[in-house]
Amino acid sequence: MAGGKQARKRSANVRGLSCIFNNVDQKISVTRKYIEELQQKAAAVEKRGTTPRPGSNEIGRTFPFPSCQLAAGPDDNGDAPEDETPEAGLVNPFANDPPTFMSPGNGRMFYLGTSSNWSFTRRVLSLAHQHVHSEALPTESLIFEGTAYDLGWDGWRADPMTETPIIPSLDHALYLINTVKFRCGQLYHLFDESDFIRSLYSFYSDGARAKTRSLWYIHFLLILAFGKTFVERPSQGRKPPGMNYFIKSLQLLPEQHQLYSSPPAATEILCCIAIFYQALDCRSPAHNYVGQAMRLAMAHGMHTRMPVGDLDQHVVDRCRKIWWTVYILDRHTTSIQGLPQSIDGRFVQTSLPSSVGSSDRITTLCMHLKLCQSIAEINSTVYAVDGRLSRTFLLSTKTALSNMAGFADELNENFPLFLDGTDKGIPRTSAYLHLFYQQCVIVATRPLLFCFLKIRLESPETRLESLDKSRNVRNLIQMCLESAQHSIRILHGVNSQSLLETFLTFDLESIFISTVVLLMAPAIDPHLVNDHPRWLEKAYGIFRELVEAGNQVAKFRWSELQQLEQTMQSITQPKDKTRLNAHCENPEPAPRSLSPTTSHILAPMEQNSFSDPSLLGNGHSITAECVFGPLLTSAEMTALADSIELYDAEWVSNAVINHDIW
């Protein structure tokens, strides 16, 4: 054995590689303080009692159709591997014990979910603000859920027949419906076209008033609401176009027992409501409506192998489309909220629909489901409920990246983006899937950025030494930053074709989490991102487009990022208060405090912009301005994931202990 180790060592030295062996009997030296801290933590664990590890509900499961095999992972039975016992775990810096809550000062408490993008930014901002100002972050300077838009409704259904919105002409309605199909149809099933259009013509030919108390009419109002927001420019107020249709649909929505009388249509309606609420930054109502849709669909057996012999083929296909839309929305909303998954994937037995339109639609749905599985795996392993780190943290990140590795080549082959300056346009669906993939990478790796930011704040003179102790950890941080750059590059290309999604949350979530990563990088290592100011300009340019399109949520997210940037600059450049952008016309910083009740009056994007509009024109290539490498291939992603050793996980664990990162 010793001879074999020496032979491998000589071989590695010839290739110029460092040798790392993970023998459990290897002798190491530690400080007395380290031993005392471990004893204290062991005592704390015994005092609290042992918490079982939450199982990974769906990881590793293969969907019941051969054309869409998903990545392998931990077993479905929820049993933890032997080396992931509670005694071997540490605390995740994003899952505090007790859980973290934050209040806007009005009495309501908001839970900061472990994997939530919103929650992650709040934690980073709070940490940095505490370091710079030696006081807690004031909540009145923050924007909370549900304050971006004015719904114009108190939520009560006192008189559902008042203020009926004006119904457009038949031609106009068809135009709005087709717009919704283009903007949403590739990703979600929101209505059954044949039944919906048949009822539409009947509605316009018969007495319209007689059908205004039907589920179809509610559904029709929701589709009109989406269509209006997609095609009309917003007004100066805080109500997006189509809001009156949306509110009227909520007022007419019947009680649960009535919804269960027509499960397919009712589930489609609930999905529409959830997506619209999500776009309004009402995350909790969106999550609630998806939960209702999930339970209604399950009660109807849509998650099972519905027998075609007993049911009409069209009905079965419709239910399959509905189910996978509910499934996708559930994974999205739980991830955005940072909450556990709603259903154990082992109980999902339904197949893909047989009539989704084309093989391309099947391929798109398969990839969408794979990415949803990945985000679910990350949420349930990297961000464990009880907050353990060590082998559950870095090695879980390794597993998640390994399972995602094959997606890179599959995305490039089946969903090319044409970002190399060719005359081909960027397909909107391809852009969405690539952005979702990059989001999975960022969410899996950004805990390391938080860890090293904490190290930087506590011991700035040793941060680079700490970061350089593990090349593999540095590589993961670099991967996180490059994924943020890839997202910005994709969004820049989409925007150049006027295809930026300005109402739904796809693009906003992507640019938001990417910009947070960019803002954190200089505090960890100024050399992590090449041409950092230019990349930040590009990110803020995307925010400008979203804000100018009337997206109130984007404006508020941008104001919060402004606070984060100013705080980070106080850390990295305490004697230099100048802004990053040399082209900024107004160097004065925007107000640091924007209350939820008055922030809509201000326009931070108009007061202060990091974007040069000329950089966003058609034909202007981002690759000509920013140094940027190609997307990692599947082989490279696999190699990077496989390079993570037990040594790296143990080293990160020791760093977390020494700096109290939780």
Side-chain angles (χ1 to χ4, degrees), residues 482 485-486 489 626-631:
E482 290 187 359
Q485 291 173 289
H486 275 296
R489 185 187 183 201
C626 302
V627 178
F628 189 71
L631 180 68

Side-chain angles (χ1 to χ4, degrees), residues 482-540:
E482 290 187 359
S483 289
Q485 291 173 289
H486 275 296
S487 298
I488 295 171
R489 185 187 183 201
I490 294 169
L491 289 170
H492 180 273
V494 168
N495 183 53
S496 68
Q497 297 179 190
S498 301
L499 290 176
L500 193 67
E501 180 51 66
T502 57
F503 179 67
L504 302 181
T505 59
F506 312 146
D507 295 347
L508 176 58
E509 284 295 320
S510 181
I511 193 62
F512 180 61
I513 67 174
S514 299
T515 307
V516 171
V517 168
L518 285 180
L519 291 174
M520 296 176 67
I524 299 171
D525 184 354
H527 303 293
L528 281 173
V529 179
N530 293 322
D531 206 359
H532 180 270
R534 296 291 284 174
W535 281 108
L536 201 54
E537 286 178 17
K538 297 296 182 182
Y540 286 148

Side-chain angles (χ1 to χ4, degrees), residues 143-152 234-241 243 280 503 550-553 555-556 595-602:
I143 306 302
F144 285 84
E145 173 187 335
T147 60
Y149 290 99
D150 178 17
L151 272 65
S235 62
Q236 297 299 320
R238 295 172 57 224
K239 290 185 180 180
M243 180 69 86
L280 299 178
F503 179 67
N551 192 313
Q552 297 292 313
V553 183
K555 182 170 68 175
F556 294 158
S595 69
T597 58
T598 62
S599 58
H600 68 276
I601 302 175
L602 303 175

